[in-house]
Amino acid sequence: MPGKGETFEKLTVNGIEALYAKNSEALFSNRLMWENTKDQLEYEISTYKNSSLTKDDLVAIAESMVKE
């Protein structure tokens, strides 16, 4: 469920569907989430509101973690 002011964007990271959430009023303002259904794992990278990391930075981090 989205937080106040939060918006979502579907992305693909190395062939895996991911969800990017931004503008949340919560402590962690921006998040990138994806699942590994085969191993039943969920991943999330999140940043504080004042973080200088961009969406592209989070995607690059995820790409270094995800293999097709």
Side-chain angles (χ1 to χ4, degrees), residues 1-66:
M1 172 164 233
K4 183 177 181 183
E6 189 171 37
T7 59
F8 292 97
E9 178 182 349
K10 289 183 181 181
L11 304 173
T12 303
V13 177
N14 286 350
I16 295 173
E17 288 186 21
L19 191 63
Y20 177 68
K22 63 181 178 178
N23 298 327
S24 172
E25 296 293 325
L27 177 62
F28 297 107
S29 176
N30 299 315
R31 301 177 293 140
L32 182 61
M33 304 157 282
W34 68 96
E35 295 180 352
N36 175 333
T37 53
K38 178 184 173 193
D39 296 325
Q40 297 182 346
L41 297 170
E42 294 180 1
Y43 297 91
E44 180 177 318
I45 303 169
S46 56
T47 63
Y48 288 110
K49 289 180 185 181
N50 61 353
S51 174
S52 62
L53 292 176
T54 66
K55 175 177 77 174
D56 290 338
D57 294 329
L58 295 182
V59 169
I61 293 167
E63 287 174 340
S64 73
M65 299 170 61
V66 173

